[in-house]
Amino acid sequence: PKSERTALSKAIVKNPLLFVNCPHTKMFLEQGGEDFDAASTARRLAKYWESRRALFGDRMCYAPGTMAKPVLGDYQQYYARIQIIMEDPNADEMTRYDARRIIESINEHKVRAVDENLRRMDECIIADHEERDNEVAAEQMMKLSAIAMAMKSDNDLKLQFLRVEKMVEEKAAHRMVTYFEIGLRLFGPDFEHRRSMALDDVEDCSELLIVAPYEDNFGRSVLIWRQIVVDDEEEEVNDNYISMARLSQLGITKNHFAKVMWNALHAAMERSSCRKNGFVILFDRTKALSSSNRAKFHSFAQLIVSLVNCVPLSFRAVHYVFGPNHSWRDIILSWELRVLGGIFGILMKQKTVVHVESFEDLVLNLGVAYGISSNNIPATLGGSLDSEYCGQWLTSRRGINT
């Protein structure tokens, strides 16, 4: 009855996540036996708060510091729990309905908060130039265009950015602006209207990156960065490789590589599992580049890292495959490790894994320890994914706008 839960209701007002971060909830549930009787626990919690209020009075009962204050992690945990309930087919219809209403309410609030952050960013740029009494520079104009694109985006896209940034609206807003700003840099002013590109735009180096046919055991998409860039003195066999000289001849710049990454990431994004669970990169570095060509490839990779950091997908890990012909000593002393520390290291709140092993051990290790099966590993690295799939994937992507 309402009269028996007055004290509990007031506690919930003081701490909306009382049932998430308050130890009493778990304690009472555990004391209820193996069945975790929710109804019995609710009655005991209500009685506990009525007794506490009667003993200490309102002032001491709800005084600051008497209960755990919710932190960001508590809210994120609560959101994740409600999401699981909403998607649980075994939950009763009323429970799923309540969970859906809670999620919709949170999402609506968060989207409004993203829009407010975007408006503040826009106003800040304009106010800064009005104060200086000068024209808006080209760079700032591009940022204003990116902000406008972000604000016009539909709520589903805004929610996708929010999920990647753990529902922190300020980070989601900045990530969106960076995303559209890089899109404008790569594809020009037309991107503001069409918001898409096709693989045909980067034909000459389109084979650099493909999306593996299956998710890994954790539901993440696997992007395969193929070793197609080699030193000038190496032969190009069956068009599997592109020499640095050939790149120069074709006029390919770091923007081409970034466009290939853009296309692959957005192809992966078409999978709901990728939007939910993120992606991993399998990076083939079995062929070493000369010192003169490493710097060129380094500049390519830097722009690609910026792109990976702004798309509305969670980057989970990169597997850097050197293969059996490299030694740890050579890797530690080489430029390659500096790339790992400098380029991918900034991403590695996630995981970087370096593989220096036989291809047989590589396939076993990726499967057992990291959930990447052999049918997602290229045949050139000991897996069963052959070049025929690469050709089919590229053919299927041609003409598709992402």
Side-chain angles (χ1 to χ4, degrees):
K2 187 175 181 179
S3 60
E4 295 180 11
R5 53 185 168 89
T6 304
L8 176 59
S9 298
K10 190 170 182 178
I12 293 173
V13 171
K14 295 284 186 180
N15 180 0
L17 297 186
L18 186 71
F19 296 151
V20 175
N21 68 346
C22 179
H24 301 108
T25 306
K26 183 179 179 182
M27 182 179 69
F28 287 147
L29 272 171
E30 291 175 343
Q31 289 177 352
E34 295 181 359
D35 293 336
F36 289 95
D37 188 341
S40 175
T41 299
R43 286 192 295 270
R44 294 187 68 184
L45 274 169
K47 187 175 180 179
Y48 163 80
W49 280 98
E50 288 295 340
S51 300
R52 175 170 169 162
R53 185 184 184 188
L55 182 61
F56 298 108
D58 278 14
R59 183 177 178 183
M60 292 298 295
C61 179
Y62 307 112
T66 58
M67 64 182 81
K69 185 177 180 180
V71 296
L72 177 62
D74 293 323
Y75 286 101
Q76 291 169 340
Q77 185 181 29
Y78 175 71
Y79 185 87
R81 286 181 180 179
I82 298 299
Q83 189 87 40
I84 291 171
I85 293 172
M86 186 181 72
E87 298 172 355
D88 184 2
N90 296 320
D92 64 80
E93 185 176 346
M94 182 60 71
T95 301
R96 290 202 306 272
Y97 173 76
D98 289 340
R100 184 165 59 253
R101 287 188 62 190
I102 293 170
I103 290 294
E104 288 173 354
S105 177
I106 294 173
N107 288 348
E108 184 180 346
H109 173 79
K110 286 293 183 178
V111 167
R112 285 201 304 268
V114 168
D115 287 339
E116 183 58 34
N117 273 271
L118 291 170
R119 277 192 289 271
R120 283 201 296 266
M121 293 169 66
D122 185 79
E123 292 168 359
C124 184
I125 293 174
I126 294 174
D128 180 60
H129 284 276
E130 286 178 350
E131 184 178 335
R132 297 182 185 183
D133 195 27
N134 61 358
E135 294 183 2
V136 180
E139 287 290 314
Q140 298 295 345
M141 282 298 296
M142 184 177 291
K143 185 174 286 290
L144 287 171
S145 296
I147 293 171
M149 292 180 72
M151 294 179 71
K152 293 176 184 176
S153 297
D154 60 50
N155 289 351
D156 287 341
L157 183 59
K158 291 173 183 175
L159 282 170
Q160 184 62 28
F161 278 97
L162 277 163
R163 293 187 185 104
V164 173
E165 292 294 353
K166 310 294 185 185
M167 303 303 286
V168 179
E169 53 267 24
E170 185 177 0
K171 290 184 177 180
H174 281 280
R175 191 181 187 101
M176 284 192 81
V177 173
T178 304
Y179 169 79
F180 285 115
E181 196 172 357
I182 289 181
L184 289 167
R185 291 181 189 278
L186 290 177
F187 306 111
D190 286 346
F191 178 70
E192 186 169 358
H193 305 291
R194 61 175 181 145
R195 294 189 177 215
S196 64
M197 60 84 66
L199 192 62
D200 297 336
D201 296 338
V202 285
E203 183 71 34
D204 293 320
C205 58
S206 57
E207 295 183 10
L208 177 67
L209 196 69
I210 63 170
V211 181
Y214 310 104
E215 291 81 20
D216 67 8
N217 292 348
F218 304 102
R220 305 171 302 192
S221 291
V222 180
L223 274 64
I224 302 170
W225 191 319
R226 303 174 67 212
Q227 177 65 69
I228 67 168
V229 180
V230 298
D231 278 327
D232 301 337
E233 59 269 18
E234 294 202 34
E235 295 181 359
E236 298 186 29
V237 182
N238 298 325
D239 295 326
N240 287 329
Y241 301 110
I242 299 176
S243 71
M244 297 300 288
R246 178 62 174 160
L247 289 181
S248 298
Q249 181 183 352
L250 293 170
I252 291 175
T253 66
K254 61 183 180 182
N255 280 358
H256 286 78
F257 285 84
K259 289 176 181 178
V260 170
M261 175 64 87
W262 180 286
N263 180 78
L265 287 170
H266 285 75
M269 201 189 304
E270 293 170 7
R271 302 175 178 177
S272 60
S273 60
C274 182
R275 295 194 298 272
K276 180 178 180 180
N277 303 308
F279 67 97
V280 299
I281 296 178
L282 190 61
F283 201 128
D284 182 354
R285 288 299 293 116
T286 51
K287 290 182 177 292
L289 293 176
S290 66
S291 57
S292 60
N293 286 328
R294 287 169 184 166
K296 298 178 185 177
F297 200 76
H298 188 159
S299 67
F300 296 159
Q302 284 178 317
L303 182 55
I304 290 169
V305 165
S306 299
L307 178 56
V308 168
N309 265 332
C310 77
V311 292
L313 292 173
S314 297
F315 177 44
R316 301 302 188 184
V318 56
H319 294 269
Y320 217 79
V321 181
F322 284 93
N325 296 326
H326 293 75
S327 69
W328 275 107
R329 179 181 178 278
D330 292 339
I331 293 170
I332 290 172
L333 295 176
S334 75
W335 166 89
E336 304 290 355
L337 194 63
R338 294 199 294 276
V339 169
L340 285 175
I343 295 181
F344 286 107
I346 63 174
L347 297 173
M348 288 304 110
K349 296 175 184 177
Q350 297 80 12
K351 183 180 292 184
T352 298
V353 187
V354 180
H355 298 272
V356 186
E357 55 201 337
S358 69
F359 290 153
E360 182 179 348
D361 289 340
L362 171 70
V363 172
L364 180 63
N365 192 22
L366 286 174
V368 173
Y370 303 104
I372 302 176
S373 59
S374 62
N375 55 7
N376 274 337
I377 303 172
T380 53
L381 298 180
S384 57
L385 191 63
D386 57 23
S387 57
E388 183 179 351
Y389 167 78
C390 300
Q392 291 172 348
W393 186 82
L394 291 167
T395 299
S396 70
R397 298 303 306 174
R398 300 201 196 287
I400 298 177
N401 289 328
T402 61

